[in-house]
Protein backbone atom coordinates (compact mmCIF):
# COMPACT_ATOMS: atom_id res chain seq x y z
CA UNK A 1 0.00 0.00 0.00
CA UNK A 2 1.32 3.45 -0.86
CA UNK A 3 0.42 5.74 2.00
CA UNK A 4 0.11 8.66 -0.40
CA UNK A 5 -2.68 6.95 -2.30
CA UNK A 6 -5.07 7.55 0.57
CA UNK A 7 -3.82 10.95 1.70
CA UNK A 8 -6.08 13.88 2.43
CA UNK A 9 -5.50 17.57 1.83
CA UNK A 10 -3.83 17.82 5.25
CA UNK A 11 -1.05 15.50 4.13
CA UNK A 12 -2.24 12.87 6.62
CA UNK A 13 -3.57 9.57 5.23
CA UNK A 14 -7.35 9.96 5.43
CA UNK A 15 -7.97 6.59 7.09
CA UNK A 16 -6.13 7.84 10.19
CA UNK A 17 -7.89 11.17 10.64
CA UNK A 18 -11.11 10.02 12.41
CA UNK A 19 -9.18 8.06 15.02
CA UNK A 20 -6.57 10.77 15.47
CA UNK A 21 -9.12 13.51 15.83
CA UNK A 22 -10.96 11.53 18.50
CA UNK A 23 -7.76 11.72 20.54
CA UNK A 24 -7.14 15.43 20.15
CA UNK A 25 -10.63 16.92 19.83
CA UNK A 26 -10.28 18.53 23.27
CA UNK A 27 -7.06 20.33 22.48
CA UNK A 28 -8.95 23.57 21.84
CA UNK A 29 -9.69 23.82 25.57
CA UNK A 30 -7.39 26.38 27.20
CA UNK A 31 -6.25 27.56 30.61
CA UNK A 32 -6.98 24.35 32.54
CA UNK A 33 -5.61 23.45 35.94
CA UNK A 34 -3.92 20.10 36.52
CA UNK A 35 -7.08 18.60 38.04
CA UNK A 36 -9.12 19.53 34.98
CA UNK A 37 -6.51 18.07 32.65
CA UNK A 38 -6.61 14.80 34.59
CA UNK A 39 -10.42 14.71 34.43
CA UNK A 40 -10.32 15.24 30.68
CA UNK A 41 -7.83 12.38 30.26
CA UNK A 42 -10.13 10.02 32.16
CA UNK A 43 -13.13 11.17 30.11
CA UNK A 44 -11.18 10.60 26.92
CA UNK A 45 -10.16 7.10 28.01
CA UNK A 46 -13.82 6.32 28.69
CA UNK A 47 -14.74 7.69 25.27
CA UNK A 48 -12.12 5.57 23.54
CA UNK A 49 -13.26 2.52 25.50
CA UNK A 50 -16.79 2.99 24.16
CA UNK A 51 -15.56 3.67 20.61
CA UNK A 52 -13.36 0.55 20.63
CA UNK A 53 -15.23 -1.93 22.85
CA UNK A 54 -13.36 -5.10 21.90
CA UNK A 55 -10.51 -6.24 24.12
CA UNK A 56 -7.94 -6.41 21.31
CA UNK A 57 -8.86 -2.95 19.94
CA UNK A 58 -8.16 -0.68 22.91
CA UNK A 59 -5.35 -1.81 25.23
CA UNK A 60 -4.17 0.25 28.20
CA UNK A 61 -0.55 -0.76 28.69
CA UNK A 62 -0.03 0.83 32.11
CA UNK A 63 -2.98 0.27 34.43
CA UNK A 64 -1.05 1.73 37.36
CA UNK A 65 -0.82 5.08 35.59
CA UNK A 66 -4.60 5.09 35.09
CA UNK A 67 -5.15 4.18 38.74
CA UNK A 68 -2.88 7.05 39.83
CA UNK A 69 -4.76 9.42 37.53
CA UNK A 70 -8.16 8.43 38.93
CA UNK A 71 -6.87 8.70 42.50
CA UNK A 72 -5.57 12.18 41.72
CA UNK A 73 -8.97 13.26 40.36
CA UNK A 74 -10.89 11.81 43.31
CA UNK A 75 -8.59 13.22 46.00
CA UNK A 76 -7.70 16.90 45.89
CA UNK A 77 -4.76 16.38 48.22
CA UNK A 78 -3.26 13.55 46.16
CA UNK A 79 0.11 14.01 44.49
CA UNK A 80 0.38 14.46 40.75
CA UNK A 81 0.63 11.12 38.88
CA UNK A 82 4.19 10.04 38.19
CA UNK A 83 3.55 8.12 34.96
CA UNK A 84 2.00 8.91 31.60
CA UNK A 85 -1.16 7.08 30.55
CA UNK A 86 -0.23 4.85 27.62
CA UNK A 87 -2.42 2.75 25.39
CA UNK A 88 -2.56 1.02 22.01
CA UNK A 89 -5.36 1.18 19.45
CA UNK A 90 -5.48 -1.71 17.00
CA UNK A 91 -7.65 -0.55 14.12
CA UNK A 92 -8.92 -2.28 10.99
CA UNK A 93 -10.67 0.37 8.85
CA UNK A 94 -12.18 -0.41 5.49
CA UNK A 95 -11.12 1.81 2.61
CA UNK A 96 -12.01 1.98 -1.05
CA UNK A 97 -10.24 -0.42 -3.42
CA UNK A 98 -9.12 -2.57 -0.48
CA UNK A 99 -10.88 -4.93 1.88
CA UNK A 100 -9.12 -3.98 5.11
CA UNK A 101 -6.14 -1.98 6.35
CA UNK A 102 -4.69 -2.98 9.72
CA UNK A 103 -2.58 -0.65 11.82
CA UNK A 104 -1.76 0.00 15.46
CA UNK A 105 -1.51 3.39 17.08
CA UNK A 106 0.62 3.66 20.22
CA UNK A 107 -0.32 6.69 22.31
CA UNK A 108 1.06 8.34 25.44
CA UNK A 109 -0.72 11.23 27.14
CA UNK A 110 1.71 13.64 28.85
CA UNK A 111 0.64 14.76 32.33
CA UNK A 112 -0.31 18.18 30.89
CA UNK A 113 -2.41 16.73 28.04
CA UNK A 114 -4.52 18.18 26.45
CA UNK A 115 -2.69 21.48 26.88
CA UNK A 116 0.30 19.75 25.29
CA UNK A 117 0.18 17.37 22.36
CA UNK A 118 -0.20 13.60 22.73
CA UNK A 119 2.68 11.33 21.66
CA UNK A 120 1.44 9.12 18.83
CA UNK A 121 3.22 6.50 16.72
CA UNK A 122 1.53 4.48 13.98
CA UNK A 123 2.78 1.08 12.84
CA UNK A 124 1.51 -1.21 10.09
CA UNK A 125 2.92 -4.31 8.44
CA UNK A 126 1.51 -2.98 5.16
CA UNK A 127 3.87 -0.01 5.19
CA UNK A 128 7.49 -0.14 4.14
CA UNK A 129 10.08 1.28 6.52
CA UNK A 130 10.39 4.50 4.54
CA UNK A 131 6.59 4.90 4.40
CA UNK A 132 6.40 4.40 8.16
CA UNK A 133 9.08 7.03 8.78
CA UNK A 134 7.26 9.42 6.47
CA UNK A 135 3.86 8.74 8.03
CA UNK A 136 4.98 9.31 11.62
CA UNK A 137 6.81 12.46 10.63
CA UNK A 138 3.64 13.71 8.93
CA UNK A 139 1.59 12.73 11.99
CA UNK A 140 3.69 14.91 14.26
CA UNK A 141 3.56 17.79 11.80
CA UNK A 142 -0.22 17.35 11.49
CA UNK A 143 -0.65 17.50 15.26
CA UNK A 144 1.51 20.60 15.55
CA UNK A 145 -0.28 22.41 12.74
CA UNK A 146 -3.87 21.42 13.53
CA UNK A 147 -4.10 20.59 17.22
CA UNK A 148 -1.78 22.92 19.12
CA UNK A 149 -3.36 24.90 21.97
CA UNK A 150 -2.93 28.60 21.35
CA UNK A 151 -2.97 30.69 24.51
CA UNK A 152 -0.70 33.42 25.78
CA UNK A 153 0.83 30.97 28.24
CA UNK A 154 1.12 27.97 25.94
CA UNK A 155 3.72 27.15 23.35
CA UNK A 156 2.10 27.60 19.97
CA UNK A 157 4.51 25.44 18.06
CA UNK A 158 7.07 22.80 18.92
CA UNK A 159 10.44 22.46 17.30
CA UNK A 160 11.30 18.91 16.36
CA UNK A 161 14.80 17.84 17.31
CA UNK A 162 16.91 15.51 15.18
CA UNK A 163 19.32 13.50 17.33
CA UNK A 164 22.32 11.27 16.69
CA UNK A 165 23.64 9.12 19.54
CA UNK A 166 27.10 7.55 19.51
CA UNK A 167 27.02 4.65 21.97
CA UNK A 168 30.10 2.82 23.27
CA UNK A 169 30.08 -0.62 24.87
CA UNK A 170 32.94 -2.66 26.33
CA UNK A 171 31.79 -5.43 24.00
CA UNK A 172 28.73 -6.59 22.05
CA UNK A 173 28.72 -10.37 21.56
CA UNK A 174 25.26 -11.61 22.53
CA UNK A 175 23.13 -12.48 19.51
CA UNK A 176 19.87 -11.50 21.21
CA UNK A 177 21.23 -8.06 22.11
CA UNK A 178 22.40 -7.58 18.54
CA UNK A 179 18.95 -8.58 17.29
CA UNK A 180 17.29 -6.19 19.76
CA UNK A 181 19.43 -3.31 18.51
CA UNK A 182 18.39 -3.94 14.90
CA UNK A 183 14.72 -4.60 15.71
CA UNK A 184 14.29 -1.63 18.03
CA UNK A 185 15.93 0.74 15.59
CA UNK A 186 13.57 -0.48 12.86
CA UNK A 187 10.55 -0.13 15.14
CA UNK A 188 11.54 3.42 16.10
CA UNK A 189 12.42 4.50 12.52
CA UNK A 190 16.08 5.05 13.37
CA UNK A 191 19.05 4.70 11.04
CA UNK A 192 22.74 4.21 11.84
CA UNK A 193 24.91 1.13 12.36
CA UNK A 194 26.04 -1.39 14.96
CA UNK A 195 29.59 -2.76 15.11
CA UNK A 196 29.60 -5.86 17.34
CA UNK A 197 32.69 -7.31 18.98
CA UNK A 198 35.15 -5.66 21.35
CA UNK A 199 34.68 -2.74 21.64
CA UNK A 200 31.07 -2.38 20.53
CA UNK A 201 29.91 0.72 18.68
CA UNK A 202 26.29 1.73 18.03
CA UNK A 203 25.11 4.85 16.23
CA UNK A 204 21.41 5.72 15.97
CA UNK A 205 19.86 8.81 14.41
CA UNK A 206 16.33 10.11 13.98
CA UNK A 207 13.71 11.92 16.04
CA UNK A 208 14.99 12.82 19.51
CA UNK A 209 12.13 11.04 21.27
CA UNK A 210 12.83 7.86 19.30
CA UNK A 211 16.57 7.98 20.06
CA UNK A 212 15.85 8.46 23.76
CA UNK A 213 13.42 5.54 23.76
CA UNK A 214 16.05 3.39 22.04
CA UNK A 215 18.68 4.32 24.64
CA UNK A 216 16.22 3.71 27.48
CA UNK A 217 15.67 0.14 26.23
CA UNK A 218 19.31 -0.63 25.45
CA UNK A 219 20.76 0.55 28.75
CA UNK A 220 18.32 -1.68 30.68
CA UNK A 221 20.03 -4.75 29.21
CA UNK A 222 22.94 -6.31 31.08
CA UNK A 223 26.27 -4.78 30.05
CA UNK A 224 29.79 -4.78 31.44
CA UNK A 225 29.97 -1.14 30.39
CA UNK A 226 27.84 0.98 28.06
CA UNK A 227 27.53 4.75 27.70
CA UNK A 228 26.69 7.54 25.28
CA UNK A 229 30.10 8.73 24.10
CA UNK A 230 28.76 11.64 22.06
CA UNK A 231 25.40 13.20 21.24
CA UNK A 232 24.33 15.51 18.41
CA UNK A 233 21.06 17.49 18.52
CA UNK A 234 19.73 19.68 15.71
CA UNK A 235 16.51 21.69 16.05
CA UNK A 236 14.33 21.44 12.95
CA UNK A 237 11.90 24.31 12.51
CA UNK A 238 9.73 22.54 9.98
CA UNK A 239 10.28 19.04 11.25
CA UNK A 240 8.82 17.37 8.18
CA UNK A 241 10.00 14.16 6.56
CA UNK A 242 12.32 15.99 4.13
CA UNK A 243 14.03 17.88 6.97
CA UNK A 244 14.65 14.69 8.91
CA UNK A 245 15.95 12.81 5.87
CA UNK A 246 18.28 15.68 5.00
CA UNK A 247 20.12 15.29 8.30
CA UNK A 248 20.55 11.51 8.16
CA UNK A 249 24.04 10.19 7.44
CA UNK A 250 22.83 6.59 7.19
CA UNK A 251 19.91 5.20 5.18
CA UNK A 252 19.05 2.29 7.50
CA UNK A 253 20.48 0.67 10.61
CA UNK A 254 22.61 -2.36 9.82
CA UNK A 255 25.28 -4.41 11.50
CA UNK A 256 28.78 -3.69 10.18
CA UNK A 257 31.74 -6.06 10.36
CA UNK A 258 35.28 -4.90 9.54
CA UNK A 259 37.54 -7.95 8.97
CA UNK A 260 36.95 -9.49 12.40
CA UNK A 261 39.99 -11.26 13.85
CA UNK A 262 41.31 -12.50 17.17
CA UNK A 263 40.83 -15.81 19.00
CA UNK A 264 37.05 -15.47 18.98
CA UNK A 265 36.83 -13.51 15.74
CA UNK A 266 35.49 -10.56 17.69
CA UNK A 267 38.11 -7.82 17.22
CA UNK A 268 37.33 -5.41 14.39
CA UNK A 269 39.80 -3.63 12.13
CA UNK A 270 39.52 -0.11 13.53
CA UNK A 271 41.28 1.32 10.49
CA UNK A 272 38.37 0.13 8.35
CA UNK A 273 35.95 1.58 10.88
CA UNK A 274 37.71 4.93 10.55
CA UNK A 275 37.42 4.90 6.75
CA UNK A 276 33.74 3.94 7.04
CA UNK A 277 33.14 6.90 9.36
CA UNK A 278 35.14 9.15 7.04
CA UNK A 279 32.92 8.16 4.10
CA UNK A 280 29.88 9.12 6.17
CA UNK A 281 31.34 12.48 7.17
CA UNK A 282 31.85 11.36 10.78
CA UNK A 283 35.65 10.95 10.98
CA UNK A 284 35.92 13.21 14.04
CA UNK A 285 33.91 10.68 16.04
CA UNK A 286 36.80 8.18 15.88
CA UNK A 287 38.97 10.27 18.19
CA UNK A 288 36.05 10.73 20.61
CA UNK A 289 35.71 6.95 20.84
CA UNK A 290 39.32 5.86 20.94
CA UNK A 291 41.33 8.95 21.92
CA UNK A 292 43.50 8.83 18.79
CA UNK A 293 43.18 10.21 15.31
CA UNK A 294 42.32 7.73 12.57
CA UNK A 295 44.33 7.08 9.46
Amino acid sequence: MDCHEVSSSSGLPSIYEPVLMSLVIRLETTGMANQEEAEIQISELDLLSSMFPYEDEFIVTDQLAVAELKHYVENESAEMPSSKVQFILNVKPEISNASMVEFSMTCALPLKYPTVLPEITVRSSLLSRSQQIHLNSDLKTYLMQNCSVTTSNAVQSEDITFTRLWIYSHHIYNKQKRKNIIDWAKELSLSGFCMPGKPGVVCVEGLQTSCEEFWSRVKRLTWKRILIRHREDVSLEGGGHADIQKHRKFSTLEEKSFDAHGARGNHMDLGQLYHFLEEKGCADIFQMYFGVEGH
Side-chain angles (χ1 to χ4, degrees):
M1 180 185 75
D2 187 337
C3 63
H4 296 291
E5 292 179 357
V6 290
S7 62
S8 65
S9 59
S10 68
L12 180 73
S14 57
I15 59 173
Y16 300 97
E17 287 202 52
V19 177
L20 185 59
M21 289 310 297
S22 74
L23 297 174
V24 296
I25 191 69
R26 297 181 184 269
L27 279 166
E28 294 178 358
T29 307
T30 61
M32 291 174 294
N34 294 337
Q35 198 88 10
E36 292 175 289
E37 291 161 352
E39 290 174 358
I40 285 176
Q41 289 192 31
I42 291 174
S43 297
E44 197 153 303
L45 290 172
D46 290 339
L47 174 63
L48 289 168
S49 181
S50 64
M51 290 175 63
F52 304 96
Y54 297 107
E55 186 175 344
D56 62 342
E57 284 186 319
F58 176 55
I59 304 168
V60 176
T61 55
D62 190 346
Q63 293 290 347
L64 179 59
V66 176
E68 286 184 346
L69 192 68
K70 290 181 177 179
H71 179 69
Y72 177 69
V73 169
E74 294 166 1
N75 300 272
E76 291 186 5
S77 60
E79 293 184 1
M80 280 280 291
S82 58
S83 303
K84 300 177 183 178
V85 171
Q86 301 184 57
F87 56 89
I88 299 172
L89 292 176
N90 293 310
V91 187
K92 300 178 181 179
E94 294 186 3
I95 61 173
S96 59
N97 303 320
S99 56
M100 198 73 72
V101 174
E102 298 184 23
F103 68 94
S104 65
M105 183 180 287
T106 302
C107 307
L109 304 182
L111 299 179
K112 285 287 188 178
Y113 175 85
T115 54
V116 298
L117 296 174
E119 300 164 7
I120 300 176
T121 303
V122 170
R123 300 180 179 89
S124 174
S125 60
L126 299 176
L127 295 177
S128 68
R129 184 174 181 280
S130 62
Q131 287 175 326
Q132 194 152 280
I133 292 171
H134 197 165
L135 173 61
N136 283 296
S137 175
D138 284 351
L139 271 174
K140 185 149 189 172
T141 301
Y142 177 86
L143 286 169
M144 290 167 56
Q145 293 177 346
N146 295 277
C147 308
S148 292
V149 176
T150 54
T151 70
S152 58
N153 297 320
V155 178
Q156 295 189 23
S157 63
E158 176 188 355
D159 283 345
I160 293 178
T161 300
F162 178 89
T163 294
R164 184 177 298 110
L165 299 180
W166 295 92
I167 300 168
Y168 172 91
S169 174
H170 179 270
H171 64 263
I172 303 176
Y173 298 144
N174 185 277
K175 290 183 178 179
Q176 184 58 50
K177 288 180 183 176
R178 290 158 64 179
K179 183 177 186 300
N180 286 341
I181 288 170
I182 300 297
D183 290 347
W184 290 342
K186 182 177 181 181
E187 175 192 342
L188 296 167
S189 302
L190 299 175
S191 51
F193 74 96
C194 170
M195 186 187 80
K198 182 180 180 180
V201 174
V202 179
C203 171
V204 289
E205 59 180 10
L207 289 176
Q208 182 183 71
T209 52
S210 298
C211 286
E212 290 176 349
E213 172 63 21
F214 177 87
W215 172 240
S216 175
R217 296 182 192 182
V218 167
K219 71 180 181 180
R220 287 200 295 264
L221 301 175
T222 303
W223 301 95
K224 182 171 182 178
R225 186 186 185 208
I226 192 166
L227 55 92
I228 296 176
R229 182 70 82 186
H230 182 59
R231 175 178 184 141
E232 302 170 52
D233 291 302
V234 180
S235 180
L236 308 178
E237 291 184 2
H241 174 71
D243 289 326
I244 294 170
Q245 293 301 97
K246 182 175 66 176
H247 283 82
R248 290 186 189 271
K249 292 184 181 292
F250 307 90
S251 56
T252 61
L253 190 140
E254 59 183 347
E255 193 169 276
K256 301 295 292 186
S257 179
F258 302 103
D259 285 350
H261 60 281
R264 297 174 59 183
N266 53 25
H267 289 269
M268 298 294 172
D269 184 323
L270 298 184
Q272 290 190 32
L273 171 62
Y274 173 77
H275 290 300
F276 171 72
L277 294 174
E278 189 177 39
E279 290 173 359
K280 299 295 183 179
C282 308
D284 56 326
I285 295 297
F286 191 88
Q287 186 170 15
M288 293 181 188
Y289 266 99
F290 306 109
V292 296
E293 294 185 4
H295 55 82

